[in-house]
Amino acid sequence: MTRASVAGATGYTGREVVRELCRQGISAVAHVRPDSPRLDRWREEFAQVGAMVDTTPWESGPMEGALGRLRPDLVFALLGTTRARVRQASQTEGRAESYETVDYGLTRLLLDATVAATPQGRFIYLSSLGVREGSRNPYLAVRARLESELRQSGVSYVVARPGFITGPDREESRPAERVASAGGRGPRARSRSPRVSPST
Ligand SMILES: NC(=O)c1ccc[n+]([C@@H]2O[C@H](COP(=O)([O-])OP(=O)(O)OC[C@H]3O[C@@H](n4cnc5c(N)ncnc54)[C@H](OP(=O)(O)O)[C@@H]3O)[C@@H](O)[C@H]2O)c1
């Protein structure tokens, strides 16, 4: 049976990916950060769709160990922060978060753990429409760097570059994704099919 591990499983995209994997009969493990204030709720929700929950901390050794035990065929990297969350983390929790530490840093940690622990697995990275080398937009710049490092990592991969992913249940305005979409398809572009680059 195909096995998948989903980082960013609690996000708008991740939740749907976990559901879809389960619908397709793929054994799915949803990663939830261990300090999530909604951990119990996530356990319940993911159990209902038939997924397991993994609460490995975002640290290299433990993440490598977890992937080594799970040996997933597919590793989904679907995480990222927003400007609103950066502000909130700094103001209410005193934590310094950024696109650099979350979107790049945690995804890179996951990529390194994948290469070390399950090099036969395929890394599926949710990047963004509008990504290009030399971009001065910090949201796009970290994705360009990660894409480049992913290409050089030697692991099999898929890069999806969606525009604005949304639906009737979308509660946030997501300005960074709207800007990226505008750069690619015009200011009112709301969604578009993922563009998928060939895997190595
Ligand atoms: N939505 C779009 O239109 C769109 C378009 C193109 C690209 N993207 C990119 O695709 C990715 C997923 O998008 P989305 O809309 O599904 O995002 P989302 O709903 O905001 O979910 C973000 C995920 O990242 C995790 N995360 C955020 N900060 C974290 C931290 N400090 N430590 C650990 N985990 C953290 C969240 O976990 P918690 O729930 O625990 O916070 C959540 O699972 C992002 O990188 C986004 O920029 C999105």
Side-chain angles (χ1 to χ4, degrees), residues 146-162:
L146 204 288
E147 281 191 22
S148 163
E149 293 171 1
L150 178 53
R151 283 193 293 274
Q152 291 163 30
S153 69
V155 82
S156 166
Y157 67 87
V158 173
V159 173
R161 288 181 179 165

Side-chain angles (χ1 to χ4, degrees), residues 17-40:
V17 166
V18 171
R19 277 188 217 116
E20 186 56 31
L21 289 167
C22 292
R23 268 197 290 265
Q24 292 191 21
I26 292 171
S27 166
V29 176
H31 181 266
V32 182
R33 48 173 144 176
D35 58 341
S36 169
R38 300 175 185 168
L39 184 52
D40 290 342

Side-chain angles (χ1 to χ4, degrees):
M1 188 188 217
T2 304
R3 290 188 300 270
S5 173
V6 182
T10 58
Y12 188 73
T13 314
R15 278 171 260 163
E16 192 51 39
V17 166
V18 171
R19 277 188 217 116
E20 186 56 31
L21 289 167
C22 292
R23 268 197 290 265
Q24 292 191 21
I26 292 171
S27 166
V29 176
H31 181 266
V32 182
R33 48 173 144 176
D35 58 341
S36 169
R38 300 175 185 168
L39 184 52
D40 290 342
R41 185 192 123 191
W42 290 123
R43 281 193 193 286
E44 233 173 80
E45 286 199 16
F46 287 128
Q48 275 170 18
V49 297
M52 286 169 288
V53 166
D54 168 38
T55 57
T56 301
W58 277 105
E59 293 163 23
S60 308
M63 196 56 83
E64 198 179 312
L67 289 181
R69 282 188 297 280
L70 293 168
R71 295 248 159 214
D73 304 288
L74 306 168
V75 178
F76 287 83
L78 313 175
L79 58 136
T81 192
T82 60
R83 273 188 244 160
R85 276 183 233 168
V86 165
R87 258 195 315 277
Q88 192 192 353
S90 146
Q91 287 167 2
T92 62
E93 299 157 43
R95 277 187 298 120
E97 277 193 9
S98 62
Y99 293 135
E100 180 68 30
T101 62
V102 178
D103 300 42
Y104 174 77
L106 298 187
T107 307
R108 178 65 210 234
L109 187 154
L110 186 68
L111 174 60
D112 288 343
T114 302
V115 171
T118 179
Q120 82 295 341
R122 178 167 288 194
F123 195 88
I124 295 136
Y125 174 48
L126 189 52
S127 182
S128 173
L129 187 67
V131 166
R132 61 176 172 79
E133 295 293 331
S135 172
R136 285 201 265 168
N137 174 321
Y139 172 83
L140 297 175
V142 295
R143 284 170 173 72
R145 178 146 54 108
L146 204 288
E147 281 191 22
S148 163
E149 293 171 1
L150 178 53
R151 283 193 293 274
Q152 291 163 30
S153 69
V155 82
S156 166
Y157 67 87
V158 173
V159 173
R161 288 181 179 165
F164 187 36
I165 304 167
T166 193
D169 54 344
R170 180 56 123 174
E171 286 154 9
E172 295 174 301
S173 62
R174 311 290 297 204
E177 284 84 355
R178 283 178 190 272
V179 168
S181 289
R185 295 285 287 183
R188 301 301 297 172
R190 291 192 56 195
S191 66
R192 109 186 215 114
S193 304
R195 203 165 61 199
V196 178
S197 77
S199 59
T200 54

